[in-house]
């Protein structure tokens, strides 16, 4: 197998057999099919081998693997209160069944969140690379070259362990030095049986690895350090995220501060543009996965665009992930006042037009401008003469069978990440980038860490982080009363995280690390809005709105034991020292 460079201003690509060339690319290919001699013969070949380590980010990406024909199960927000899949068992979606059927998650593994074998395979390869860097690299490469590549691999390995820890808690720590012969690659029988580290020990290992990587990595990508490689900003950003899981508040705050002090990092002015190709290389996008037309693409538009887009390209679109009322209703009016279904009509022409910019960047609503038309997702019904009046995009109540065929079951469609200019997505795919780390998240991490450290003493620091994000979209500052105590501060931070990060995959993991998933989800149902065309015409101007249940009156299931999922039975059988989590 050969490794070839392609022109792409992307963070990561997974490539097989493409014949384009340039110096501006990370070519992430299959690192298992090339000999040691060939890999380590020169820096160019070895670099291609090392960059394949970044595959962990494409495997975990919001929509890199999510919207392919084989894996559409990682749009994490649809496992929560703020997003809804309109499918029961189509499209390879486990979202509703996971939340509505207790038998879905048993003690054989983590169900839809299972990643043990996949991630440990990545860790095994990381450990081998770290060993080979020392064994082979020292013969042909400079010490600085080796140090930088070791930092890359250690960062990626730390992220692999984070992927495991957020699902299972403490895991078995296997490194390049923990095996009986050094590297722990599973080749020795003596290495197989090993107990899990505690959750605290696991996170300590992850954070120490990231700290070590941060000390070595460059501040920005330039020259031979191609865009898409890890930097100090990315390492510090990851520490600010993962230290919250470990409840290492000081460490999270300091890492966020260090990230923000770097000259390459800052907020973009335009929130909506963050989720388009215009974000590539901008200060807020610390690390992102990018794509290239005709080479590496995804299928996000085809699978998420509203069903009414069928009339543009004559290909089905599926509207696979839809905002709920729990999400839509949390966005403020653009003057900073709260939205309320009982009072909106006294001051506004409709419930949506005057809402804050993050709402419009995230949600497609009835009446929203879209392409060369207007979104219409009101429910079909008959005129007095018996003629059926159908809306363009449609509304269809969710059922525990089939799917809605591109119609909305919530009264909304997802706007964030869609490329409105791409009318050929069914034939050419989509290329808008997928964020992995942006500075907006780091600011929220920083605010939370300061609140947990000392909410009263850190009021100004907390408000600075929150108000930077609010001011970016024209919202007024929050004052000290909003952070007068820890409960108030955390309520504000949690609300801002929903509005700022909706659709980006954080909500599920946030609820679990806060230990709030049970109270937010278990025994509850999600809601949408059913819209009625009061004019009974094909181009109505008068609507009524009714908040409705969208879970077929089936309470969601999220017991306490879902906070730490079951270790796979296969691992416990092969490794008797690896005990299961409590409650399984």
């Amino acid at each position: 197998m050969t490794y070839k460079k392609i022109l792409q201003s992307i963070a990561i690509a997974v490539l097989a057999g493409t014949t384009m060339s340039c110096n501006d690319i990370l070519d992430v290919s299959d690192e298992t099919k090339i000999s040691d001699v060939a890999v380590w013969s020169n820096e160019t070949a070895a670099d291609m081998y090392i960059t394949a380590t970044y595959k962990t980010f494409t495997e975990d990406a919001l929509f890199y693997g999510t919207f392919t024909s084989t894996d559409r199960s990682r749009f994490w927000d649809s496992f929560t209160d703020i997003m809804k899949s309109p499918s029961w068992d189509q499209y390879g979606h486990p979202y509703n069944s996971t939340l509505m059927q207790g038998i879905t998650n048993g003690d054989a593994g983590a169900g839809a969140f299972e990643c043990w074998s996949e991630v440990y395979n990545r860790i095994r390869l990381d450990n081998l690379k770290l060993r080979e860097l020392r064994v082979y690299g020292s013969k042909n490469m400079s010490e600085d070259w080796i140090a930088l590549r070791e930092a890359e691999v250690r960062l990626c390995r730390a992220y692999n362990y984070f992927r495991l820890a957020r699902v299972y808690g403490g895991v078995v720590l296997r490194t390049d030095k923990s095996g009986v012969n050094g590297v722990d690659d599973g080749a020795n029988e003596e290495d197989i049986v090993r107990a899990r580290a505690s959750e605290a020990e696991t996170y300590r290992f992850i954070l120490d690895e990231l700290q070590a990587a941060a000390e070595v990595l460059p501040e920005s990508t330039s020259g031979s350090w191609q865009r898409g490689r890890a930097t100090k900003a990315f390492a510090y950003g990851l520490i600010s995220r993962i230290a919250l899981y470990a409840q290492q508040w000081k460490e999270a705050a300091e890492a966020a501060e260090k990230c923000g002090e770097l000259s390459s990092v800052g907020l973009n002015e335009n929130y909506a543009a963050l989720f388009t190709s215009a974000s590539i290389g901008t200060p807020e996008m610390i690390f992102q996965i990018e794509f290239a037309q005709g080479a590496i693409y995804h299928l996000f538009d085809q699978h998420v665009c509203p069903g009414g887009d069928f009339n543009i390209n004559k290909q089905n679109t599926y509207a696979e992930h839809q905002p709920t009322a729990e999400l839509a209703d949390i966005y403020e009016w653009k003057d900073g006042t709260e939205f309320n279904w009982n009072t909106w009509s006294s001051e506004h022409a409709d419930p949506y037009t005057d809402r804050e910019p993050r709402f419009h960047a995230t949600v497609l609503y009835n009446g929203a401008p879209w392409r060369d038309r207007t979104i219409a997702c009101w429910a079909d019904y008959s005129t007095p003469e018996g003629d059926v009046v159908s809306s363009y995009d449609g509304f269809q109540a969710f059922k525990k069978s089939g799917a809605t065929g591109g119609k909305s079951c919530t009264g909304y469609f997802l706007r964030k990440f869609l490329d409105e200019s791409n009318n050929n997505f069914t034939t050419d795919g989509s290329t808008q980038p997928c964020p992995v780390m942006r500075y907006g998240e780091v600011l929220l991490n920083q605010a939370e860490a300061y609140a947990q450290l000392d909410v009263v003493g850190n009021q100004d620091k907390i408000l600075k982080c929150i108000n930077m994000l609010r001011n970016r979209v024209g919202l007024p500052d929050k004052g000290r009363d909003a952070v007068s105590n820890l409960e108030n501060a955390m309520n504000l931070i949690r609300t801002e995280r929903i509005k700022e990060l909706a659709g980006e995959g954080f909500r599920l993991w946030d609820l679990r690390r806060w230990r709030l998933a049970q109270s937010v989800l278990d025994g509850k149902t999600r809601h949408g809005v059913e819209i009625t065309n009061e004019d009974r015409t094909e181009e109505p101007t008068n609507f009524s709105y009714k908040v409705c249940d969208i879970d077929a009156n089936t309470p969601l299931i999220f017991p306490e034991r879902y906070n730490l999922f079951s270790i796979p039975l296969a691992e416990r059988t092969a490794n008797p020292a690896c005990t299961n989590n409590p409650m399984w």
Side-chain angles (χ1 to χ4, degrees):
M1 180 176 181
T2 60
Y3 292 79
K4 303 173 184 178
K5 292 186 175 181
I6 67 169
L7 174 61
Q8 185 180 338
S9 60
I10 70 171
I12 303 171
V14 180
L15 189 63
T18 302
T19 56
M20 303 167 68
S21 64
C22 190
N23 293 325
D24 234 4
I25 173 64
L26 279 191
D27 178 6
V28 181
S29 306
D30 187 348
E31 66 268 64
T32 63
K33 300 179 181 179
I34 187 167
S35 71
D36 292 346
V37 174
V39 166
W40 298 104
S41 60
N42 58 72
E43 288 186 0
T44 300
D47 226 10
M48 295 178 185
Y49 179 54
I50 293 297
T51 56
T53 309
Y54 287 93
K55 270 188 174 181
T56 184
F57 297 106
T58 63
E59 289 173 349
D60 192 47
L62 178 67
F63 56 74
Y64 182 88
T66 304
F67 295 96
T68 66
S69 60
T70 57
D71 183 2
R72 308 221 300 262
S73 64
R74 290 180 178 171
F75 197 80
W76 305 119
D77 280 0
S78 284
F79 288 107
T80 75
D81 54 331
I82 66 171
M83 296 292 295
K84 169 78 172 176
S85 165
S87 165
W88 178 248
D89 55 7
Q90 289 183 305
Y91 315 141
H93 279 206
Y95 306 101
N96 290 304
S97 58
T98 294
L99 289 173
M100 294 181 182
Q101 291 183 319
I103 61 172
T104 302
N105 286 94
D107 64 359
F113 312 104
E114 185 62 70
C115 61
W116 188 278
S117 295
E118 174 185 64
V119 176
Y120 269 111
N121 184 55
R122 301 238 58 82
I123 291 169
R124 179 183 64 83
L125 294 170
D126 295 342
N127 290 337
L128 288 170
K129 288 173 187 175
L130 288 171
R131 181 191 68 178
E132 290 171 3
L133 270 165
R134 293 189 293 271
V135 172
Y136 300 110
S138 60
K139 299 177 182 179
N140 299 315
M141 289 76 175
S142 69
E143 290 185 8
D144 287 345
W145 190 97
I146 293 172
L148 276 172
R149 274 65 187 181
E150 281 186 334
E152 282 186 285
V153 177
R154 291 178 74 177
L155 179 141
C156 292
R157 184 177 66 178
Y159 191 80
N160 278 318
Y161 274 112
F162 170 62
R163 290 175 61 189
L164 293 169
R166 71 185 182 183
V167 174
Y168 307 102
V171 296
V172 180
L173 296 177
R174 300 186 183 277
T175 73
D176 54 310
K177 299 177 181 178
S178 65
V180 295
N181 294 321
V183 66
D184 191 345
D185 60 0
N188 295 295
E189 189 71 24
E190 302 96 310
D191 292 334
I192 294 175
V193 178
R194 183 170 300 152
R196 297 165 61 195
S198 69
E199 189 169 7
E201 290 167 339
T202 299
Y203 278 119
R204 185 68 268 153
F205 173 79
I206 294 168
L207 293 170
D208 287 346
E209 289 290 286
L210 292 172
Q211 291 283 5
E215 293 175 5
V216 177
L217 291 168
E219 290 193 7
S220 63
T221 53
S222 61
S224 62
W225 202 250
Q226 301 146 304
R227 187 162 72 207
R229 306 192 87 130
T231 60
K232 286 188 187 297
F234 188 36
Y236 286 134
L238 285 176
I239 293 168
S240 79
R241 176 191 295 177
I242 297 170
L244 296 181
Y245 287 76
Q247 298 186 6
Q248 297 298 310
W249 315 123
K250 186 173 184 292
E251 194 167 357
E254 290 177 348
E257 289 278 8
K258 289 178 180 178
C259 182
E261 290 169 357
L262 296 169
S263 60
S264 60
V265 174
L267 283 183
N268 290 8
E269 292 184 4
N270 188 329
Y271 177 81
L274 282 169
F275 312 105
T276 71
S277 295
S279 69
I280 295 173
T282 58
E284 184 157 353
M285 283 303 178
I286 295 170
F287 197 85
Q288 63 186 157
I289 302 169
E290 300 169 25
F291 303 85
Q293 190 71 46
I296 307 298
Y297 58 87
H298 55 83
L299 304 174
F300 189 87
D301 290 293
Q302 180 178 3
H303 292 291
V304 177
C305 277
D309 282 0
F310 173 82
N311 293 303
I312 294 174
N313 48 46
K314 305 306 177 185
Q315 296 289 329
N316 287 329
T317 54
Y318 306 105
E320 289 187 9
H321 300 279
Q322 303 172 6
T324 65
E326 281 74 13
L327 174 60
D329 293 356
I330 206 168
Y331 290 99
E332 301 160 56
W333 297 108
K334 61 185 178 182
D335 64 1
T337 56
E338 292 185 3
F339 171 79
N340 189 304
W341 277 111
N342 295 322
T343 59
W344 70 265
S345 59
S346 63
E347 297 182 2
H348 303 274
D350 63 66
Y352 305 126
T353 304
D354 293 338
R355 303 286 277 281
E356 63 138 301
R358 288 178 295 189
F359 172 82
H360 293 285
T362 304
V363 179
L364 282 174
Y365 52 90
N366 189 63
W370 176 246
R371 301 192 189 275
D372 295 323
R373 62 185 182 87
T374 298
I375 293 292
C377 47
W378 36 270
D380 301 350
Y381 67 99
S382 300
T383 66
E385 294 75 28
D387 297 325
V388 175
V389 180
S390 300
S391 68
Y392 201 61
D393 297 286
F395 176 91
Q396 181 174 314
F398 171 77
K399 298 179 181 179
K400 292 194 290 183
S401 62
T404 62
K407 295 182 178 180
S408 177
C409 69
T410 70
Y412 304 106
F413 297 101
L414 183 62
R415 172 68 181 88
K416 187 179 278 190
F417 299 115
L418 293 181
D419 184 353
E420 190 172 0
S421 66
N422 182 5
N423 292 331
N424 300 312
F425 52 77
T426 56
T427 55
D428 299 340
S430 302
T431 58
Q432 55 269 45
C434 177
V436 175
M437 171 67 62
R438 64 182 180 90
Y439 188 51
E441 180 214 338
V442 175
L443 285 172
L444 289 163
N445 298 342
Q446 185 175 334
E448 183 174 342
Y450 277 132
Q452 293 287 356
L453 272 173
D454 176 9
V455 67
V456 175
N458 290 322
Q459 284 181 328
D460 290 342
K461 293 179 179 179
I462 299 165
L463 290 172
K464 179 181 178 181
C465 296
I466 296 299
N467 288 332
M468 284 176 67
L469 296 172
R470 291 178 60 81
N471 294 165
R472 188 243 297 268
V473 293
L475 289 174
D477 285 350
K478 288 291 184 179
R480 285 179 170 245
D481 58 328
V483 292
S484 58
N485 55 51
L486 182 58
E487 181 180 2
N488 288 347
M490 286 305 299
N491 285 339
L492 172 64
I493 291 165
R494 287 166 182 154
T495 298
E496 290 297 328
R497 283 187 75 89
I498 292 174
K499 292 186 288 187
E500 181 72 22
L501 303 174
E504 297 180 52
F506 289 91
R507 180 64 171 166
L508 171 70
W509 310 110
D510 282 346
L511 288 173
R512 290 175 75 250
R513 70 180 175 83
W514 290 326
R515 295 299 189 258
L516 289 178
Q518 187 176 14
S519 62
V520 170
L521 300 174
D522 195 47
K524 309 294 196 305
T525 58
R526 293 165 290 187
H527 300 86
V529 58
E530 185 174 351
I531 304 166
T532 299
N533 170 359
E534 296 292 354
D535 293 339
R536 300 190 180 190
T537 63
E538 292 184 358
E539 296 184 0
T541 58
N542 297 308
F543 300 97
S544 61
Y545 307 86
K546 178 184 177 183
V547 176
C548 61
D549 172 271
I550 57 171
D551 286 324
N553 296 309
T554 303
L556 304 182
I557 298 169
F558 206 102
E560 183 181 358
R561 64 180 180 170
Y562 281 15
N563 287 320
L564 292 175
F565 286 106
S566 178
I567 305 297
L569 177 61
E571 174 66 21
R572 288 180 279 131
T573 301
N575 177 10
C578 181
T579 58
N580 208 354
N581 280 315
M583 293 186 264
W584 291 101

